[in-house]
Amino acid sequence: MRRQFAAVTLLTAVAQGAGLIKLWLTARLFGVGAELDGYFLALLAPTFLSGALSGMLQTALFPVRARLAAEEAKDVLLRFERTVLAGLLVLGAALGLILWLAGPWILAWSGTDLAPAVRESARFVFPFAALLIPLNTVGDGLGYLLAMRNRYPVAAAAPIANALLGAGLLYAWPEGGLLNLALGTVAGLALQVCICLLALQRQEPRLLAAWPAFAGLQGPWRKMSHLSVWILPGVIFSNLSATLPTVMIAPYGEGAVSAFGYAWRLHTYAIQLLVMATSPVLLARFSDLIAVGDEKTLRRLLRQAVAISSAIGLGSVVLVAWAGVPLLELLFGGRFDSQAAEAVAGHWLWLCVALGPALLGNVYVKVWQARRLAQAISLLAALGLVSFWVLHAGLSGWLGSQAVAAAVGLASFVVPLAGWRLAWRGPSAVSVGNIAWPVRRRQTRP
């Protein structure tokens, strides 16, 4: 696990560096304004749907595929994986088409809170954004299948090509403006998916050698459907928590979305680098430990996670509070002026408050998934979303546009604090404060 962590973390660091190059070019060309506001808003629905599908797939695919690998012949396993990829392609294409057709209605419904220039920018980007859903859906499936073959570093490296292609287009054709930015986003993701597909085909040439056949795979698909249904509320709540901040900051005026968007991307870069990229490795390791009953090793890993996430969270708050504005001015430039740097740094500081608990919370989620506690994940995700909403309502009159980031930062403590016993002690009897609920183990046949 250490070797995989090291490889994936290194590759993810390079990928985030390439992403920062693209963000740097974006900041220099667009600054903080209506064009970028519309671009970020157009990406919200595809990001939400892709994230929800990814969470459902990860929870359902890993345990079912592992059971098939242990109990069935390889041909059956390959047929199952073929049907998964085919199902993801069909589902992603259908959702992308629906989103593209519903785009004018969505923008008309939200248009009363948007400046006309922001609304026009979002309308222009929306068709490109709809293409991201099938690409993301198939790309996630390919990445998970690579992870199950101990080839996840390939999936971690593919975003490097994605970011470099987008950055290269911005550098070579700056006069292309918003069209260039949207095209680069789609083309970069398509290249990332192709890299994962070629790597998987090279690892297992027989995987795509035949048409998908669902005959005899009703059992595994029923199990996947069952797990997906239980986790669906949780992934919806979690992705709403990631999407609503941008929606709620839009009414604060032109430039508010892009200022928050820069800070949000810097925040998610850190989370992706530090924990999200290695989450399939964590899930596989925690599943093995729980399967053999090695709670001692699991708790040792959790103690390390608490210490590391606390140190990183505190260090990031100190760094951004001390040097956030000059660091942003040094990093970007061009149309990104000192006023933009101050606006972004304010959001970034509050999001750094969320970094430590967000890292620990993501580790806890992998433990909950390994313990098959989909119901509890959904309940805790709902608690986090409600906490964010309540905190924003209480802080908006005091902090203005900064209230959105402040609510994100403070609400991030709720889920790891409320669910710590689920991660550390298992599902035998869970009590959070004065609220207690039983989480029963499913009885499985030997």
Side-chain angles (χ1 to χ4, degrees), residues 85-411:
L85 292 177
L88 291 175
L89 179 60
V90 172
L91 179 60
L95 289 175
L97 178 61
I98 292 171
L99 184 64
W100 176 64
L101 294 174
W105 177 82
I106 293 173
L107 292 172
W109 175 74
S110 61
T112 55
D113 293 329
L114 301 178
V118 175
R119 187 167 59 251
E120 288 303 313
S121 175
R123 179 179 290 112
F124 178 81
V125 176
F126 215 90
F128 298 94
L131 293 172
L132 300 177
I133 298 178
L135 290 172
N136 268 317
T137 303
V138 174
D140 286 337
L142 294 170
Y144 296 152
L145 293 180
L146 285 169
M148 294 167 189
R149 289 167 167 80
N150 293 320
R151 297 283 293 169
Y152 193 67
V154 176
I160 299 173
N162 178 348
L164 289 179
L165 178 58
L169 288 174
L170 288 174
Y171 180 78
W173 188 34
E175 61 273 14
L178 198 59
L179 172 62
N180 192 11
L181 182 61
L183 280 174
T185 302
V186 175
L189 185 56
L191 177 60
Q192 178 179 329
V193 172
C194 288
I195 291 172
C196 292
L197 180 62
L198 290 173
L200 187 59
Q201 181 68 2
R202 186 174 181 179
Q203 181 77 12
E204 182 51 72
R206 290 191 296 157
L207 179 60
L208 302 179
W211 288 102
F214 287 84
L217 296 174
Q218 292 85 351
W221 271 95
R222 277 196 299 269
K223 183 62 176 177
M224 283 186 62
S225 301
H226 176 77
L227 292 172
S228 298
V229 167
W230 277 116
I231 199 63
L232 178 59
V235 296
I236 289 177
F237 295 141
S238 296
N239 283 278
L240 278 175
S241 297
T243 303
L244 277 180
T246 304
V247 175
M248 295 173 72
I249 206 168
Y252 284 97
E254 190 172 311
V257 172
S258 25
F260 179 80
Y262 284 117
W264 184 257
R265 272 154 180 75
L266 292 170
H267 175 65
T268 53
Y269 283 165
I271 293 178
Q272 180 70 23
L273 171 63
L274 295 169
V275 70
M276 288 300 291
T278 55
S279 61
V281 181
L282 282 174
L283 180 55
R285 177 61 170 158
F286 291 156
S287 298
D288 290 341
L289 292 174
I290 291 170
V292 299
D294 191 355
E295 295 287 337
K296 182 179 179 180
T297 301
L298 178 62
R299 290 173 185 171
R300 176 174 58 80
L301 294 174
L302 289 177
R303 283 193 293 270
Q304 293 174 356
V306 171
I308 293 171
S309 60
S310 300
I312 291 174
L314 180 60
S316 67
V317 169
V318 173
L319 175 63
V320 173
W322 172 57
V325 174
L327 184 61
L328 288 169
E329 290 179 337
L330 177 65
L331 179 63
F332 295 133
R335 291 181 62 184
F336 191 94
D337 54 20
S338 59
Q339 185 177 0
E342 291 178 1
V344 173
H347 296 300
W348 194 16
L349 178 60
W350 280 112
L351 294 177
C352 284
V353 173
L355 183 57
L359 296 177
L360 184 61
N362 276 288
V363 174
Y364 279 1
V365 167
K366 299 303 115 182
V367 181
W368 299 333
Q369 286 178 319
R371 294 193 190 278
R372 294 183 293 177
L373 299 178
Q375 301 98 317
I377 296 174
S378 296
L379 178 62
L380 290 168
L383 179 62
L385 179 61
V386 171
S387 301
F388 163 75
W389 195 281
V390 171
L391 285 165
H392 175 262
L395 296 171
S396 57
W398 178 33
L399 296 177
S401 64
Q402 300 287 331
V404 176
V408 172
L410 297 176

Side-chain angles (χ1 to χ4, degrees), residues 11 13 72 77 93 116 165 385 410 415 425:
L11 291 168
E72 300 289 349
L77 180 63
L165 178 58
L385 179 61
L410 297 176
V415 171
R425 302 187 183 184

Side-chain angles (χ1 to χ4, degrees), residues 406-443:
V408 172
L410 297 176
S412 64
F413 288 87
V414 172
V415 171
L417 288 175
W420 69 273
R421 287 190 67 182
L422 279 171
W424 285 76
R425 302 187 183 184
S428 54
V430 182
S431 175
V432 178
N434 295 323
I435 303 174
W437 73 92
V439 183
R440 297 186 297 273
R441 292 184 182 272
R442 290 184 60 84
Q443 297 297 321

